[in-house]
Each structure stands twice: as structure tokens, then as C-alpha cells.
Amino acid sequence: ASGDEPLRWQRLPLGGSKPRSKYGHTLAAVSEETLACLGGVRFGGYRGDVGDLHWLHVRAGEVCTDAPSKTDATADVSVGEDAAASVEGDNPDASTPADADAAAADAAKAAASAAGSASDVQSLRAEWESARLASECDSRAYASLNCVRVGGVAEKHAGGRCLITYGGISHGAASDSLQYLMLDADAEDGVLSGWTTPATVGEGPGIRFGHSAHWHEGSNRLVLVGGSDGSDLLRDGDDYHCRSVYLLRLGTADEPMWSWETVAVSGDVSVAKDIGGRCHLSF
């Protein structure tokens, strides 16, 4: 959008190998055109967690000067039918296919109306791709996922990129699983080496889900904050021990051990009751 024109959501036409319907999954950008989609749960009550990894490629299409026709809008809905449930978000009670179809139709009408008000519309297309891995990630939902460029988890991976995931809900309970996946390693027949669990030292966050993590490139550390360990299902703010801030330093060729450290936070810790916890904040 430019000038005073408001921003509007628009449903994209989808293709490729779509993920199973799920919620509680995590997305992380791995390039300007590709997102990684990891994990999630398939059934209500946070049941049926999976460790699937898919790539979502979003690419620019042609620039059109006219509003899309009714036929075009309907086509966008038909190709995105299955994916509608896969991006439901935090919704333990999945909607019915009829509900998803109705929502998709409404979104398509709104998108067509928005597109008609602009003189030039940059179209986008999205395509799913199932990641080819030698080994899958531990099943998890409401975990953190970050794509970082590392100095070297091992010498042969120096300067490469990797996905790092921590915690989440696994098999119905909070988890402290830490795994990484190298993305720039030499892949035989396009198959990545698979997820690895690194050895760590120091006191980490413990079991955690619904937290947030951010890669701080200046210090070469992952910052983890918030979340819940499952002891505060009523969300009344009693799990204060989940309000600490943690740093994770990745291993290098010279120092292969990954290390956790706790950040000393000053001020009134009771404020964390209002701003921390299972809030899924991003930064």
C-alpha cells in the first residue's frame, strides 16, 4: 500500500504438496521468498502433534491493472481449500470444511474488492514443498523456530545457515527438546542431513512452550523469553519461573558445546505477570 491506502489481507493461490491440516505450527523466514513451516497439532485439545517440515515459497507474479474476475477469485479459493485449515492459528477446536469454504469465499470477495480499488496490483503465488530430510524433527507445537547464519556448528558447516527449534508441546506435554537442521550442507539427491540434537552446558529454560526466540546476530546468541511449562493452564500468571530471559550460544568448530546462560533482569518482576507468559510474542 502507498499513501493513505489501507493495508489489506489477501488470500494467495496455493499449489504444491500442502501440509496436513493443523494449528500451533511455527513459521520462520529462510530467504526472501521462502518460509519454513514446522510442527503443529492436528486435533482439538492440543492432541496429535507432528514434526513435519514444509517450505512455503512465495513468488511475485504478473502485474495486473484490472480487478480479478469472479472466476479468478473463485479459482484462488479452490486451490487454497485444504490450506485454509493449515493456517488456522491457535484454535484447539478445528472448524468444519464448510466453515473454511465460507471463510475462504468471504476472503476472496474482500481481496477482489481491494484489488479493484488499485490501479496496479502485484500478484503473488504461493507453493508448498515437503522438505526432504534424512531424519524428521521431534514432534512439537507452539515451539520457537529461527533461521540463523552461524560461524560453524562444525567446521564443515562454517558460515552456513541452520534452523533452530526449541521446546513446544510434544505428546501432550511441554518439552525441552533442542534441535537444529543445517540448510547449506551438501545434500545428496536434494535430501538434507536431518535434525540434530546438540550437547549443551549450563542451565537452560527447561520445558517450555508458547515462548518467543530471536537471533541476536551482534552477540551470536539466541535470546529466549516467556512461555509456559504447562503448570499455569488457567493463565493466571503464577508461573513466574518462566519469566527469565535466556541466551543460547551456538557451538563452533573450536568450542562444539552449545551453552545456556541466564540474563539478569532488573526492576519489578511482578510486571512480568502482565507482559510475559504464554503470549506468543514476536520480536
Side-chain angles (χ1 to χ4, degrees):
S2 59
D4 297 329
E5 183 183 349
L7 294 173
R8 294 182 175 90
W9 287 101
Q10 182 173 348
R11 182 178 295 275
L12 301 182
L14 286 167
S17 178
K18 303 168 188 174
R20 295 174 286 183
S21 298
K22 58 185 180 178
Y23 63 95
H25 48 278
T26 309
L27 290 172
V30 298
S31 72
E32 291 185 355
E33 295 185 342
T34 302
L35 296 168
C37 178
L38 176 67
V41 284
R42 302 192 60 208
F43 311 114
Y46 309 108
R47 295 177 297 110
D49 43 278
V50 297
D52 299 347
L53 177 65
H54 284 76
W55 312 120
L56 179 59
H57 307 291
V58 182
R59 301 183 176 93
E62 298 179 354
V63 176
C64 58
T65 56
D66 299 320
S69 66
K70 182 177 180 181
T71 302
D72 293 335
T74 304
D76 287 0
V77 175
S78 64
V79 294
E81 178 181 351
D82 292 339
S86 70
V87 291
E88 299 256 340
D90 189 356
N91 180 15
D93 299 317
S95 60
T96 65
D99 293 335
D101 289 345
D106 291 342
K109 292 177 182 177
S113 175
S117 64
S119 58
D120 291 312
V121 178
Q122 177 69 62
S123 63
L124 297 173
R125 289 196 61 84
E127 182 176 353
W128 287 105
E129 178 189 359
S130 180
R132 301 176 61 193
L133 307 172
S135 60
E136 288 191 356
C137 183
D138 292 344
S139 62
R140 64 185 74 215
Y142 298 101
S144 58
L145 182 68
N146 300 84
C147 181
V148 308
R149 184 169 295 278
V150 296
V153 175
E155 188 171 355
K156 66 179 180 179
H157 296 320
R161 296 174 304 152
C162 75
L163 285 173
I164 302 175
T165 182
Y166 184 80
I169 297 176
S170 181
H171 303 293
S175 168
D176 62 353
S177 171
L178 171 66
Q179 293 184 294
Y180 70 88
L181 172 69
M182 295 305 305
L183 300 179
D184 292 336
D186 294 334
E188 183 177 352
D189 298 326
V191 179
L192 296 175
S193 58
W195 292 89
T196 301
T197 300
T200 62
V201 295
E203 183 178 353
I207 57 175
R208 193 68 53 93
F209 68 94
H211 53 280
S212 294
H214 171 74
W215 176 249
H216 188 258
E217 193 166 353
S219 63
N220 203 42
R221 283 167 169 78
L222 188 71
V223 184
L224 189 147
V225 62
S228 173
D229 62 2
S231 63
D232 185 23
L233 296 180
L234 297 179
R235 306 191 187 195
D236 57 11
D238 288 339
D239 51 352
Y240 286 110
H241 55 284
C242 294
R243 302 299 191 261
S244 300
V245 178
Y246 294 87
L247 299 180
L248 175 64
R249 184 184 63 80
L250 275 61
T252 64
D254 297 329
E255 299 180 28
M257 294 288 287
W258 294 31
S259 60
W260 287 104
E261 56 184 296
T262 305
V263 178
V265 180
S266 60
D268 184 2
V269 70
S270 65
V271 176
K273 180 175 181 178
D274 299 320
I275 63 175
R278 189 152 35 114
C279 55
H280 310 289
L281 57 88
S282 300
F283 61 99

